[in-house]
Amino acid sequence: MDGVRNARTQGAHRAHLDIEAGDRVYGLDTEILDRGQGRLMTWRTMNGAHLKGTFSVLPLDPEHTRVQVRVEYDPATVKETFGGPKGFAQAGAIERLVRDDLRHLKDLAEDTR
């Protein structure tokens, strides 16, 4: 995923991510709140920018996969933590990064079948 420089688990329900944004690397601790039979994951950050979301992977057929994500965040908090423009411009930048990462993940999932 673009911007993630390191990811490591910290027990069964926690992980630490090192995220590069601009010229800096930020550490985020995350908690996995729910795992839906290997196809769904709900998570939230424990520090830094308060983010939470749900990520799902659904095989449609042998050659196609649907990948969906929902991320909830406050643009002002994201700006405070990572810098950058506020409001819709920041939301647009986050949406573009997530869409690019999801396309990449979908390609990887479909290539491994």
Side-chain angles (χ1 to χ4, degrees):
M1 302 252 175
D2 194 32
V4 176
R5 296 297 165 239
N6 187 29
R8 62 186 175 279
T9 60
Q10 296 179 324
H13 299 284
R14 295 193 182 203
H16 178 85
L17 303 173
D18 292 320
I19 309 285
E20 184 176 341
D23 297 341
R24 297 184 55 196
V25 175
Y26 301 88
L28 291 175
D29 293 315
T30 61
E31 179 181 30
I32 300 168
L33 303 169
D34 183 30
R35 292 181 190 205
Q37 301 175 355
R39 300 202 189 278
L40 176 78
M41 181 178 70
T42 300
W43 57 271
R44 71 179 177 102
T45 57
M46 308 279 296
N47 65 328
H50 296 288
L51 310 167
K52 68 180 185 175
T54 302
F55 177 87
S56 66
V57 177
L58 176 65
L60 299 174
D61 61 43
E63 296 179 8
H64 299 93
T65 303
R66 174 177 291 146
V67 179
Q68 294 178 305
V69 68
R70 186 191 85 238
V71 178
E72 297 176 26
Y73 64 95
D74 173 37
T77 303
V78 169
K79 180 182 185 246
E80 279 178 26
T81 304
F82 300 113
K86 187 175 179 181
F88 291 116
Q90 187 72 13
I94 291 170
E95 183 178 336
R96 282 189 301 280
L97 286 172
V98 169
R99 282 186 189 277
D100 289 347
D101 285 345
L102 288 175
R103 281 188 195 103
H104 181 77
L105 180 63
K106 180 181 180 292
D107 291 344
L108 289 172
E110 291 177 354
D111 285 347
T112 60
R113 291 195 214 167

